[in-house]
Amino acid sequence: MTIAARDFRELRLEGMSRRFGNVNALRDVNLAVRRGEFIALLGPSGCGKSTALNCLAGLLTLTSGSIWLDSARIDRLKPEERGFGMVFQNYALFPHMSVRRNVGFGLVMRGVDKAEIERKVSEALSIVRLGDQGDKLPGQLSGGQQQRVAIARAIVIEPPLVLMDEPLSNLDAKLRLEMRAEIRRIHELIGSATIYVTHDQEEALSLADRIVVMRDGVVRQVGTPQELYAQPAYSDVAEFMGYRNLIRSRVSAAGSISIGGGAFQGTPIGPLSSGDVVVAVRPDDLRAAADGPLAITVESAQYHGRDFYCSGRAADATELYFVSAHQVQKGETVRLAADPKRVLIYPGAPS
């Protein structure tokens, strides 16, 4: 194989900011990305992740800050001068061009020799496992195949960095799972860095080496999937990482916290002073147990193949989400328990 990422050591974002009028879409984003690293930008709609990607691509100019590829400042360069590969949410294929012409378009624009274009296009199609589809039009392919064409077009130019903007959002659940594995395989094969925008925490956890969680244009936390899953630094990050139960509480003199009237032990995240705290617990960490400290009345139960994912209310009307290994019925009273290591306690009130 000859297709490989252009060599570099590090991409650096230094104080990257972007305003639209009075709105700060990005504020002072700092990040270093190493060659071969897979970074996921994760956050809800409007958090700034796609704006960050468009600034990297050169589709948006910076209001302030800079972008560096090793010792070269690149935020002043045009998109085509940066040499990055881009995979869009809607594929952005030319419908009147064959698959081969779509994949080779970037090479044609760079003035590459025709024989070299043919060779590289064939190799890129082989990498994405579409070697026999080159003469078809995009409209003759499935959604998953079209996404592979878009990936082939991005990697054929041998970019140091591949940018992906929610590339799987238009695919069904089965194809999304298949394409996740393909994207990771191709990333490792060509050795580029990848920056991948998603609002799906499961996608981010399964694909990324590091996850950058964003909110309101600000980076809230950067860490490995394991770090963000186990110990989010802030309650809003915990909420986005699947800690669906966020409960206002207070720490007692004995060090316990109250959830729905039941006394639980937990794990403080950062120093706690007296006063209000926020307790974060994942539904799958709050489980039915006969001796659990909290009694809850079941309001709904959905079968998810192995467990039942349920919601209910405590005596003080606190709504909670939990998991039961056994079927429970609406109106039934269930007692709940949780491992103290999985009950995270944050200072202050939910932001």
Side-chain angles (χ1 to χ4, degrees), residues 86-336:
M86 185 86 180
V87 181
F88 298 94
Q89 182 176 346
N90 62 355
Y91 317 140
L93 302 177
F94 298 112
H96 62 288
M97 289 186 180
S98 69
V99 166
R100 292 190 68 87
R101 289 183 63 200
N102 265 284
V103 174
F105 183 78
L107 297 174
V108 171
M109 291 297 99
R110 286 166 171 76
V112 177
D113 176 79
K114 185 176 180 180
E116 182 72 357
I117 291 175
E118 287 296 311
R119 184 187 65 77
K120 287 191 172 183
V121 167
S122 294
E123 185 174 347
L125 288 175
S126 177
I127 288 171
V128 300
R129 297 173 179 170
L130 287 177
D132 58 347
Q133 305 293 318
D135 295 327
K136 291 184 178 180
L137 295 173
Q140 296 174 294
L141 304 179
S142 69
Q145 289 174 320
Q146 290 183 51
Q147 191 57 274
R148 289 171 189 261
V149 175
I151 293 170
R153 183 180 59 189
I155 66 173
V156 76
I157 62 172
E158 301 181 290
L161 183 68
V162 175
L163 307 174
M164 296 191 172
D165 192 2
E166 306 223 30
L168 307 185
S169 60
N170 291 330
L171 303 180
D172 62 37
K174 180 175 180 293
L175 272 177
R176 282 201 302 273
L177 286 174
E178 291 175 0
M179 285 306 299
R180 272 190 220 165
E182 280 296 281
I183 286 171
R184 185 71 207 197
R185 177 185 68 83
I186 293 165
H187 163 82
E188 292 174 352
L189 188 64
I190 68 171
S192 66
T194 299
I195 297 184
Y196 184 102
V197 163
T198 182
H199 64 274
D200 185 327
Q201 54 114 342
E202 188 178 326
E203 260 184 31
L205 289 168
S206 65
L207 280 170
D209 298 311
R210 286 190 297 155
I211 299 172
V212 180
V213 180
M214 300 185 67
R215 181 184 180 189
D216 297 333
V218 174
V219 172
R220 293 293 284 157
Q221 186 175 357
V222 180
T224 66
Q226 295 85 350
E227 289 167 348
L228 268 78
Y229 185 91
Q231 288 208 335
Y234 304 98
S235 60
D236 60 290
V237 176
E239 183 177 26
F240 204 78
M241 294 305 298
Y243 288 76
R244 197 173 179 187
N245 297 303
L246 285 184
I247 306 107
R248 288 183 173 88
S249 187
R250 295 181 71 85
V251 179
S252 73
S256 66
I257 41 91
S258 174
I259 300 178
F264 286 76
Q265 298 296 317
T267 300
I269 305 299
L272 299 179
S273 58
S274 59
D276 293 336
V277 295
V278 179
V279 182
V281 190
R282 289 180 176 275
D284 48 348
D285 289 325
L286 192 60
R287 287 186 167 266
D291 59 349
L294 171 61
I296 193 168
T297 302
V298 177
E299 292 189 339
S300 70
Q302 299 175 352
Y303 183 55
H304 281 208
R306 184 176 63 181
D307 294 320
F308 291 85
Y309 281 70
C310 315
S311 67
R313 289 192 184 273
D316 65 356
T318 299
E319 184 178 25
L320 293 163
Y321 301 90
F322 66 99
V323 170
S324 174
H326 307 288
Q327 187 171 6
V328 293
Q329 304 294 333
K330 182 177 180 179
E332 182 180 345
T333 298
V334 175
R335 300 200 73 86
L336 302 177

